[in-house]
Amino acid sequence: MSTTEPARELSPLEVARATFQRVFERRPELLSRAPGRVNLIGGHVDYNDGLVLPLAVDLEIAVAFTPREDRHVRIHSEQFNETAEFDIADLSPGSVSGWVAYPAGVAWAIAQAGLPVCGLDAAVAGNIPIGGGLSSSAAIEVAFAAAFREVSGLELPELKLAQLSQSAENHFVGVQCGIMDQATAACAQPGKALLLDCETLGIRHVPLPSAMRIVVLCSGVERELRDSEFNKRRRECEEAVSRLNAVDDDIRSLRTVRPEQLQSLLRHLPPPLDRRTRHVVGEIERVQLAAAALESNETERFGELMFASHRSLRDDYEVSSEELDGLVELARQAPGIIGARLTGAGFGGCTVNLVTAALIEDFLGYVTEAYHKLYGREADEFVTDAARGVTVEKVGW
Ligand code: GLA
C-alpha cells in the first residue's frame, strides 16, 4: 500500500489567490466567493413573480482582488487564461463581450444605480461547469458585486447585490433571467433551501433533512439556442399576461392568476400560451405545497411534486430534452430516489435529484451506468450539501 496521499485539489479560493500573485506579482488584499445553485422546485416562475425553492451548491466562483486608486479594472480569468481590462466610465451594454461582460456588467449596474464604483485588480477562478445549468453566471456576478461593494466602501445588503447582478445580466449581458440565481448566490444559508417570493423578495430559509442528499446529474448536452429560447419563453409569458389582463384587469402577472381561475381563463389563450400559463400557475402552487411538505417532513410528497414539475416543464413549458427526460426516468427507477426534475433553464444541462442518504452509492451506480448504456455518454454527477451564499474576507498570509 502506498503511503503517499493523493494531491488535494486546490479550492477556487486558493487558485484565485495564487493566480493573482502570479499575474500581478503581489499578494491580493481581499477574497470574495459566491456559489452556483440548483433549484429543487419552481422552474421558470421567478420572472413571473412566483415562488422558488433553490439552494446553493458547494461549487463556486472565487475572486482575489485589490482596490485601485482609479476607475480602471483588470481581471485575469484562470479558466480562460486571459486578462481583460476596462474603464468603468467607458462601459455601456455591448461594449464588452465574453466572460468579462459579467463583472463589467456588475460595475456598470452599480454605476447606473447612481452609486460610486472604484476600480480593482482581480484574478477569478472557479469550479462551476460553465454553461452546465448551475448558474456560473450568477456566481461570477455576485462575487464581483461583493468585490466592487468592498473596494467602493458601499453599504449594500446581499439582496441588493443580487438585484444589481440581475440588472447586469438583463441589461448588459442581454439575458432576461429572473432573480432566483443571483438571490441564491447572494443570500443562501448552509444546510437550507431558500424559499424566495420573487414578487416581494421575501425569503424563508427552510432546513433540509440530513437523511437526504442532493445529487446533480449533468446530461452533457447543451443546446445552442438556450438564451434565445429562454427570452422567447419570457416574452410568451408577457403576452399571456397582457391577453389575460384584457379579460380581467386584476391579472397583472401570472402569479396573480389563482389556480381555481385557470381552467376558465385558458380559453382566452391560443397555443402555446395556454400551455405556458398552465405550467406557471401550476408550478407556483407546487412550490407552496413542496415547501409545506418539506417543513412537515413529508419527503415522499415532496418527491412527487418534483416529478410533477418535470412533467409540466417537459410537456407544457417545453424546455426539456431527450437526455434530461431520460435522466429523470432512470432516476425514478433507481434505489433511494425521492424526487427528480430538470433544473435551471433546461434545454440541456442538469437534473436535480433528492436521494436517501444511505442509498446514495446504489443510486449513482444505477443511473450513471444505465445512462451510459442508453445514450452512449457519461452523466457528470456530483453530490452536494446546501452551501453558503456570497462571502468576503481579508487575506491572511
Ligand atoms: C435560469 C434563469 C433563472 C430562472 C431559471 C428557470 O436559470 O437564470 O432566473 O428563470 O432559468 O427556472
Side-chain angles (χ1 to χ4, degrees):
M1 206 173 86
S2 158
T3 51
T4 35
E5 292 271 315
R8 182 179 67 85
E9 213 177 292
L10 293 179
S11 72
L13 275 173
E14 290 166 325
V15 175
R17 192 163 141 168
T19 305
F20 186 100
Q21 190 147 9
R22 178 172 57 77
V23 172
F24 298 105
E25 296 178 333
R26 62 202 154 95
R27 292 170 173 182
E29 290 176 22
L30 293 146
L31 299 169
S32 67
R33 49 152 292 285
R37 64 93 191 88
V38 284
N39 186 17
L40 289 176
I41 192 161
H44 288 272
V45 296
D46 59 347
Y47 53 86
N48 286 301
D49 283 351
L51 295 164
V52 291
L53 192 64
L55 56 98
V57 295
D58 47 23
L59 298 176
E60 60 193 24
I61 299 279
V63 183
F65 61 103
T66 291
R68 291 174 62 102
E69 297 293 315
D70 54 14
R71 301 186 77 213
H72 195 70
V73 175
R74 286 190 298 175
I75 307 172
H76 183 85
S77 160
E78 192 269 337
Q79 280 164 297
F80 292 93
N81 190 25
E82 189 180 275
T83 305
E85 301 194 30
F86 57 85
D87 273 309
I88 295 167
D90 296 341
L91 292 174
S92 60
S95 61
V96 287
S97 58
W99 63 268
V100 77
Y102 298 99
V106 166
W108 174 85
I110 300 174
Q112 283 293 108
L115 300 165
V117 204
C118 300
L120 48 78
D121 286 338
V124 57
N127 57 4
I128 309 173
I130 294 168
L134 297 176
S135 209
S136 56
S137 54
I140 188 171
E141 287 158 1
V142 170
F144 271 99
F148 284 117
R149 172 180 69 179
E150 198 67 26
V151 299
S152 312
L154 299 169
E155 306 245 331
L156 299 172
E158 269 66 43
L159 196 55
K160 187 69 192 168
L161 296 184
Q163 288 173 297
L164 290 165
S165 298
Q166 183 200 12
S167 166
E169 183 132 358
N170 289 172
H171 307 298
F172 197 90
V173 179
V175 177
Q176 300 306 315
C177 65
I179 187 77
M180 171 175 76
D181 306 343
Q182 291 80 4
T184 312
C187 303
Q189 291 185 359
K192 294 175 183 162
L194 189 111
L195 179 62
L196 170 68
D197 182 326
C198 302
E199 185 176 25
T200 63
L201 294 186
I203 290 177
R204 199 158 86 222
H205 296 280
V206 185
L208 292 166
S210 56
M212 62 197 198
R213 304 299 309 276
I214 291 120
V215 178
V216 178
L217 294 168
C218 295
S219 63
V221 187
E222 303 309 327
R223 212 155 97 189
E224 247 174 51
L225 293 176
R226 192 171 62 172
D227 289 353
S228 59
E229 283 291 323
F230 183 91
N231 289 347
K232 189 166 151 205
R233 290 296 177 284
R234 192 165 175 159
R235 279 199 308 276
E236 287 169 344
C237 291
E238 282 160 6
E239 169 75 21
V241 171
S242 89
R243 283 172 185 257
L244 293 177
N245 182 265
V247 177
D248 176 347
D249 59 13
D250 280 346
I251 297 176
R252 300 168 318 276
S253 67
L254 293 185
R255 169 77 180 271
T256 58
V257 176
R258 292 188 313 278
E260 61 276 16
Q261 279 181 297
L262 182 64
Q263 218 42 48
S264 66
L265 287 174
L266 286 183
R267 65 191 160 88
H268 299 287
L269 297 172
L273 303 188
D274 53 351
R275 299 198 296 278
R276 308 294 187 249
T277 301
R278 189 164 55 202
H279 165 73
V280 172
V281 175
E283 186 75 355
I284 294 173
E285 197 185 14
R286 279 188 288 277
V287 177
Q288 274 160 336
L289 296 171
L294 200 58
E295 283 171 324
S296 56
N297 238 331
E298 293 167 78
T299 336
E300 216 174 291
R301 174 82 182 120
F302 189 90
E304 284 163 15
L305 290 160
M306 285 178 81
F307 284 121
S309 164
H310 183 79
R311 283 194 298 274
S312 176
L313 286 162
R314 180 191 66 194
D315 301 336
D316 279 347
Y317 218 65
E318 296 174 283
V319 292
S320 192
S321 67
E322 197 190 330
E323 290 82 4
L324 289 174
D325 293 343
L327 276 176
V328 169
E329 232 5 83
L330 294 173
R332 186 202 300 283
Q333 298 155 15
I337 187 66
I338 297 166
R341 59 183 284 279
L342 73 83
T343 186
F347 314 108
C350 309
T351 64
V352 57
N353 304 261
L354 218 52
V355 180
T356 305
L359 291 170
I360 200 88
E361 292 308 323
D362 300 347
F363 173 83
L364 289 174
Y366 179 89
V367 177
T368 51
E369 199 189 315
Y371 186 71
H372 187 251
K373 239 187 234 158
L374 269 179
Y375 295 97
R377 56 171 84 238
E378 305 299 326
D380 264 344
E381 53 173 70
F382 82 96
V383 182
T384 183
D385 288 319
R388 185 185 298 283
V390 69
T391 52
V392 180
E393 63 187 279
K394 287 213 164 66
V395 174
W397 291 86

